[in-house]
Amino acid sequence: MSEDNVKICASVLTWNHITTGRADMFARTCLSLTDGGVPVSVRVITNGSTDGTQDVVKRLGGIVDDTHTQVWYGMERGIEDAIARGGDIILFTADDIEYKHGWAEKLLAFWQDAPDEVIIACLFLEDCWPWNTVRGYLDTAGGRALLRDSVPGSCWSFRARDWAKIAPLPRIMPGEDMEVVKRLTGQGYLLAALDLATHTGEAHSAWGNQSHTWSVPLDRARWGL
């Protein structure tokens, strides 16, 4: 499949971004997704918002689905919508990820080069915790990707054809993403991390995650980044 025929579809999950003080991050995320260098189909989704975020999503032509209020449901709903829109490459993103200029063009180049064993790629480089050890790297036309033990569900890119291997998400919160990546790596799949975005809301979690307070900075020089 040539890059000219590949469609990227992105889903942005947002939740109560008004009362959590993340409205500006949400706006920056949506704006940065349009600066990818190639066209990207973007749709916003919310589930369980009660502070007016749902009205913002409606005005943007997005999806408001309160069937379940937990993250796993919003992720699945958004991903399945992106696939239904005809996406070949899917990007699921939280509302606090700012994408770099030309990100989508580089992401396409990455997936053109990536071996089948690579099943999920995150577009930002996390700091280090015991669960996301770097195991090596992969050089592609889209740039150098680190191979890690885990990549966060707040930013998952993958081939649409691989969704059947990734789904379903565990009906738990938090930790739905960790259960998935453990299963996938246990089956021999690889997880990649690219330097195509910044996690602007890492220290401003919507649900109180404080793991950033005890992370170890990633040694970029060691990995040639």
Side-chain angles (χ1 to χ4, degrees):
M1 188 187 310
S2 71
E3 289 184 18
D4 293 339
N5 298 322
V6 177
K7 182 177 182 180
I8 300 178
C9 286
S11 287
V12 183
L13 180 63
T14 189
W15 178 79
N16 278 1
H17 65 237
I18 297 171
T19 56
T20 58
R22 293 159 59 96
D24 181 61
M25 295 180 201
F26 168 73
R28 287 162 58 190
T29 295
C30 292
L31 182 61
S32 67
L33 285 167
T34 68
D35 189 27
V38 296
V40 179
S41 172
V42 180
R43 184 170 287 162
V44 181
I45 179 170
T46 190
N47 60 309
S49 287
T50 57
D51 67 344
T53 294
Q54 67 273 27
D55 300 320
V56 174
V57 172
K58 287 178 183 176
R59 288 197 297 271
L60 293 172
I63 297 170
V64 177
D65 185 343
D66 296 333
T67 303
H68 294 284
T69 61
Q70 293 187 318
V71 172
W72 65 262
Y73 184 79
M75 288 181 69
E76 281 197 354
R77 184 73 168 83
I79 289 168
E80 288 170 357
D81 174 72
I83 293 171
R85 281 184 274 136
D88 301 294
I89 301 300
I90 306 303
L91 173 63
F92 171 81
T93 176
D95 60 359
D96 61 348
I97 313 294
E98 190 163 352
Y99 293 85
K100 298 181 180 181
H101 172 71
W103 70 269
E105 189 171 14
K106 293 177 181 177
L107 183 65
L108 279 181
F110 167 79
W111 282 118
Q112 287 292 112
D113 278 358
D116 289 343
E117 290 79 9
V118 177
I119 195 166
I120 296 174
C122 176
L123 275 65
F124 65 87
L125 298 174
E126 286 190 300
D127 282 341
C128 301
W129 291 274
W131 58 79
N132 69 348
T133 301
V134 179
R135 300 296 179 179
Y137 62 85
L138 178 67
D139 283 326
T140 73
R144 173 161 291 187
L146 300 186
L147 300 175
R148 309 192 76 157
D149 285 350
S150 72
V151 289
S154 57
C155 184
W156 276 359
S157 169
F158 54 89
R159 306 173 184 93
R161 67 174 187 258
D162 285 336
W163 176 235
K165 302 171 185 174
I166 298 168
L169 303 181
R171 274 46 177 161
I172 59 174
M173 177 185 169
E176 65 285 327
D177 53 348
M178 288 298 295
E179 291 300 314
V180 172
V181 298
K182 285 178 185 177
R183 170 169 53 82
L184 293 172
T185 55
Q187 294 170 349
Y189 290 108
L190 301 175
L191 308 171
L194 297 158
D195 190 14
L196 300 179
T198 302
H199 188 190
T200 57
E202 181 180 27
H204 200 119
S205 170
W207 53 276
N209 182 3
Q210 295 295 307
S211 60
H212 69 279
T213 61
W214 55 281
S215 63
V216 176
L218 176 68
D219 187 347
R220 289 175 173 250
R222 175 186 177 188
W223 299 106
L225 298 168

